[in-house]
Every structure is written in C-alpha cells, then in structure tokens.
Coordinates of all heavy atoms in Angstrom, one line a residue:
L1 N 0.8 -1.2 0.0 CA 0.0 0.0 0.0 C 0.9 1.2 0.0 O 1.6 1.5 0.9 CB -0.9 0.0 1.2 CG -1.9 1.2 1.3 CD1 -2.8 1.2 0.1 CD2 -2.7 1.1 2.6
D2 N 0.8 2.0 -1.1 CA 1.7 3.2 -1.3 C 1.0 4.5 -0.9 O 1.6 5.3 -0.3 CB 2.1 3.2 -2.7 CG 2.9 4.4 -3.1 OD1 4.2 4.4 -2.8 OD2 2.4 5.4 -3.6
T3 N -0.2 4.7 -1.3 CA -0.9 5.9 -1.2 C -2.4 5.7 -0.9 O -3.0 4.8 -1.4 CB -0.8 6.8 -2.5 OG1 0.6 7.0 -2.8 CG2 -1.5 8.1 -2.3
V4 N -3.0 6.5 0.0 CA -4.4 6.6 0.2 C -4.9 8.0 -0.1 O -4.4 8.9 0.4 CB -4.8 6.2 1.6 CG1 -6.3 6.3 1.9 CG2 -4.3 4.7 1.9
V5 N -5.9 8.1 -0.9 CA -6.6 9.4 -1.2 C -7.9 9.4 -0.6 O -8.8 8.6 -0.8 CB -6.8 9.6 -2.8 CG1 -7.4 10.9 -3.0 CG2 -5.4 9.4 -3.5
E6 N -8.1 10.3 0.4 CA -9.4 10.5 1.1 C -10.3 11.3 0.3 O -9.9 12.4 -0.3 CB -9.1 11.1 2.4 CG -8.2 10.2 3.3 CD -7.9 10.9 4.7 OE1 -8.1 12.1 4.8 OE2 -7.5 10.2 5.6
L7 N -11.6 10.9 0.2 CA -12.5 11.5 -0.7 C -13.8 12.0 0.0 O -14.1 11.4 1.1 CB -12.9 10.6 -1.8 CG -11.8 10.1 -2.7 CD1 -12.2 8.9 -3.6 CD2 -11.3 11.2 -3.6
P8 N -14.5 13.0 -0.5 CA -15.7 13.4 0.2 C -17.0 12.7 -0.2 O -18.1 13.1 0.0 CB -15.8 14.9 -0.3 CG -15.2 14.8 -1.7 CD -14.1 13.8 -1.6
V9 N -16.8 11.5 -0.8 CA -17.9 10.6 -1.2 C -17.5 9.2 -0.7 O -16.4 8.8 -0.7 CB -18.1 10.7 -2.7 CG1 -18.6 12.0 -3.1 CG2 -16.9 10.3 -3.5
S10 N -18.5 8.4 -0.3 CA -18.3 7.1 0.2 C -18.3 6.1 -1.0 O -17.5 5.1 -1.0 CB -19.3 6.7 1.2 OG -20.6 6.7 0.7
Q11 N -19.2 6.2 -1.9 CA -19.4 5.2 -3.0 C -18.5 5.5 -4.2 O -19.0 6.1 -5.2 CB -20.9 5.1 -3.3 CG -21.7 4.7 -2.1 CD -23.2 4.6 -2.4 OE1 -23.9 3.9 -1.7 NE2 -23.7 5.3 -3.4
V12 N -17.3 5.2 -4.0 CA -16.3 5.4 -5.1 C -16.3 4.3 -6.1 O -16.2 3.1 -5.7 CB -14.9 5.6 -4.4 CG1 -13.9 6.1 -5.5 CG2 -14.9 6.5 -3.2
T13 N -16.4 4.6 -7.4 CA -16.6 3.6 -8.3 C -15.4 3.2 -9.2 O -15.2 2.1 -9.5 CB -17.8 3.9 -9.3 OG1 -17.5 5.2 -9.9 CG2 -19.1 4.0 -8.5
S14 N -14.7 4.3 -9.7 CA -13.6 4.0 -10.6 C -12.7 5.2 -10.7 O -12.9 6.2 -10.0 CB -14.1 3.6 -12.0 OG -13.0 3.0 -12.7
C15 N -11.6 5.1 -11.5 CA -10.7 6.2 -11.6 C -9.9 6.0 -12.9 O -9.7 4.9 -13.4 CB -9.7 6.3 -10.4 SG -8.9 4.8 -10.0
A16 N -9.4 7.1 -13.5 CA -8.6 7.1 -14.7 C -7.8 8.3 -14.8 O -8.2 9.4 -14.3 CB -9.6 7.0 -15.9
F17 N -6.6 8.2 -15.4 CA -5.7 9.4 -15.6 C -6.1 10.1 -16.8 O -6.6 9.6 -17.8 CB -4.3 8.9 -15.7 CG -3.6 8.6 -14.3 CD1 -3.7 7.3 -13.8 CD2 -3.0 9.6 -13.6 CE1 -3.2 7.0 -12.6 CE2 -2.5 9.3 -12.4 CZ -2.5 8.0 -11.9
G18 N -6.0 11.5 -16.7 CA -6.3 12.3 -17.9 C -5.5 13.6 -17.7 O -4.6 13.8 -17.0
G19 N -6.0 14.6 -18.5 CA -5.3 15.9 -18.5 C -4.3 16.0 -19.6 O -3.9 14.9 -20.1
P20 N -3.8 17.2 -20.0 CA -2.9 17.3 -21.1 C -1.6 16.5 -20.8 O -1.0 16.0 -21.8 CB -2.6 18.8 -21.1 CG -3.8 19.4 -20.5 CD -4.3 18.5 -19.5
D21 N -1.2 16.3 -19.6 CA 0.1 15.6 -19.3 C -0.2 14.3 -18.6 O 0.7 13.6 -18.1 CB 0.9 16.5 -18.4 CG 1.4 17.8 -19.0 OD1 1.7 17.7 -20.2 OD2 1.3 18.8 -18.4
L22 N -1.5 13.8 -18.6 CA -1.9 12.6 -18.0 C -1.5 12.5 -16.5 O -1.2 11.4 -16.0 CB -1.3 11.4 -18.8 CG -1.8 11.2 -20.2 CD1 -1.1 10.0 -20.8 CD2 -3.3 10.9 -20.2
D23 N -1.5 13.6 -15.9 CA -1.0 13.6 -14.5 C -2.2 14.0 -13.5 O -2.0 14.3 -12.3 CB 0.1 14.6 -14.2 CG -0.2 16.0 -14.6 OD1 -1.3 16.3 -15.2 OD2 0.6 16.9 -14.4
E24 N -3.4 13.9 -14.0 CA -4.6 14.2 -13.2 C -5.4 12.9 -13.1 O -5.7 12.2 -14.1 CB -5.5 15.3 -13.9 CG -4.8 16.6 -14.0 CD -5.5 17.6 -14.9 OE1 -6.6 17.2 -15.5 OE2 -5.1 18.7 -15.0

C-alpha cells in the first residue's frame, strides 16, 4: 500500500488518468 486518497464521497466507483500531461 503506497498511497491513500481520502474523498468526500463514500461510494467510489472507478478512476482514470487524464489531463494534457496525464497527471490528473
């Protein structure tokens, strides 16, 4: 386990990188 991102929502469904530099 390297990183934990805390979010303001409980039902988190998925994630993907984007942005012009793919760093978001």
Side-chain angles (χ1 to χ4, degrees):
L1 182 59
D2 174 83
T3 301
V4 175
V5 183
E6 297 177 344
L7 300 167
V9 294
S10 62
Q11 297 178 158
V12 190
T13 58
S14 194
C15 52
F17 281 90
D21 299 316
L22 293 178
D23 59 353
E24 300 170 351

